[in-house]
Amino acid sequence: MGTKRQFKVWRGDETGGDLQDYQVEVNEGEVVLDIIHRLQATEAPDLACRWNCKAGKCGSCSMEINGMPRLGCMTRMSTFTEDETITVTPLRTFPVIRDLVTDVSFNYEKARETPAFAPPVGVAPGDYRMQQVDVERSQEFRKCIECFLCQNTCHVVRDHDENKKAFSGPRYFIRAAELDMHPLDAQDDRKTYAQQHQGLGYCNITKCCTEVCPEHIKITDNAIIPMKERVVDRKYDPLVWLGSKIFRR
Ligand code: SF4
Ligand code: F3S
Ligand code: FES
């Protein structure tokens, strides 16, 4: 038999809303998404929430729990004290559709803007060959489940809709880094592209994206900083500058 615990859940739509109080039974081993499901099964059958796998792999159940961007299905109730009120709100960076469901199409637009993998001319699919070391270098970035928690938490866009046009966000910086490390990608200047078109320069390395990533991808250290360093190298490194002058002649 579980115990009753206090919850506040944001209810509303694009026209507005507020936090509603609920007392919900909590049992051993449950996660926040279980509580949302219990609410839907009892007193709030119309509570909207996006989810799919309940295993931390689909990236659908992103929400803010006590103000922290988290996956509802991976946030254990045992991480809270018994007397703590648990507040569940939708992701703040994206427009609310209803209750805990937000419109994340910003991310799909940025995905479409990111130039796709470009294989070298004359190499047919099936003939691509890579060294294992190259496969491993970018493997970390391929663990991304597209939960968009990093996109939601980044201060560049979190309260600044006006920056969204010019800023692709950490999820697409790891995509750029992954392609940059790909030995067969013929799109030759991912770093300059990231600087000029993805808004890499807006990132001031606060690392909040890395802190919230449920896949523990070292977004800042392994993707953003190397991409920035190489852009800086190209722009300011006196040897690179000298080389470019000599070879241009
Ligand atoms: Fe989610 Fe991490 Fe991918 Fe960002 S990088 S979308 S936080 S899995
Ligand atoms: Fe944003 Fe991550 Fe940079 S949170 S500012 S993209 S380090
Ligand atoms: Fe799939 Fe939570 S339901 S990640």
Side-chain angles (χ1 to χ4, degrees):
M1 183 63 194
T3 52
K4 290 266 187 185
R5 305 267 287 268
Q6 291 293 336
F7 288 83
K8 283 182 186 291
V9 181
W10 194 89
R11 305 293 312 270
D13 57 24
E14 76 278 7
T15 61
D18 52 21
L19 292 169
Q20 308 253 320
D21 290 300
Y22 297 101
Q23 267 212 336
V24 195
E25 184 188 317
V26 176
N27 300 295
E28 200 179 340
E30 286 185 333
V31 293
V32 171
L33 187 61
D34 288 315
I35 308 309
I36 300 296
H37 286 164
R38 182 160 298 125
L39 264 172
Q40 289 173 327
T42 54
E43 59 189 299
D46 61 340
L47 169 61
C49 171
R50 195 183 274 129
W51 71 283
N52 198 326
C53 69
K54 206 167 176 278
K57 285 297 161 208
C58 73
S60 305
C61 66
S62 299
M63 53 184 77
E64 301 203 357
I65 302 169
N66 288 354
M68 278 296 291
R70 310 284 298 261
L71 295 179
C73 74
M74 297 304 282
T75 306
R76 291 190 171 276
M77 286 303 303
S78 58
T79 54
F80 306 103
T81 57
E82 293 235 337
D83 57 351
E84 200 172 351
T85 300
I86 294 141
T87 304
V88 186
T89 49
L91 298 180
R92 189 161 107 188
T93 302
F94 311 120
V96 167
I97 296 175
R98 195 155 70 86
D99 303 335
L100 301 177
V101 177
T102 55
D103 177 357
V104 293
S105 41
F106 162 75
N107 302 289
Y108 303 131
E109 283 157 25
K110 296 300 169 185
R112 270 195 296 272
E113 283 170 21
T114 308
F117 169 67
V121 179
V123 183
D127 289 342
Y128 302 163
R129 295 288 178 269
M130 282 173 75
Q131 299 286 330
Q132 188 59 29
V133 64
D134 289 323
V135 174
E136 278 158 15
R137 196 174 302 140
S138 61
Q139 193 67 19
E140 176 188 16
F141 306 136
R142 302 191 73 88
K143 290 193 304 183
C144 175
I145 57 170
E146 303 221 294
C147 64
F148 306 131
L149 291 179
C150 59
Q151 301 283 93
N152 172 63
T153 205
C154 179
H155 70 96
V156 174
V157 285
R158 187 164 168 89
D159 286 313
H160 296 280
D161 267 356
E162 71 278 10
N163 287 340
K164 282 184 176 165
K165 200 167 181 300
F167 186 72
S168 293
R171 194 273 169 261
Y172 300 100
F173 297 150
I174 66 169
R175 176 71 178 144
E178 179 198 329
L179 291 168
D180 187 53
M181 292 173 189
H182 198 304
L184 292 176
D185 182 49
Q187 189 81 245
D188 61 357
D189 207 347
R190 297 269 174 196
K191 301 127 198 158
T192 306
Y193 184 87
Q195 186 76 286
Q196 291 178 349
H197 300 286
Q198 292 184 294
L200 186 66
Y202 281 75
C203 163
N204 54 352
I205 317 184
T206 57
K207 300 198 180 188
C208 313
C209 51
T210 303
E211 273 171 39
V212 299
C213 177
E215 285 294 317
H216 308 293
I217 300 170
K218 292 199 169 59
I219 304 170
T220 325
D221 287 352
N222 291 352
I224 294 176
I225 292 175
M227 290 292 278
K228 274 180 176 281
E229 279 172 352
R230 285 179 230 167
V231 168
V232 171
D233 281 354
R234 287 192 169 204
K235 276 190 162 169
Y236 305 117
D237 186 322
L239 286 177
V240 174
W241 177 82
L242 188 62
S244 72
K245 291 281 170 203
I246 292 168
F247 292 119
R248 206 181 291 157
R249 283 182 188 158

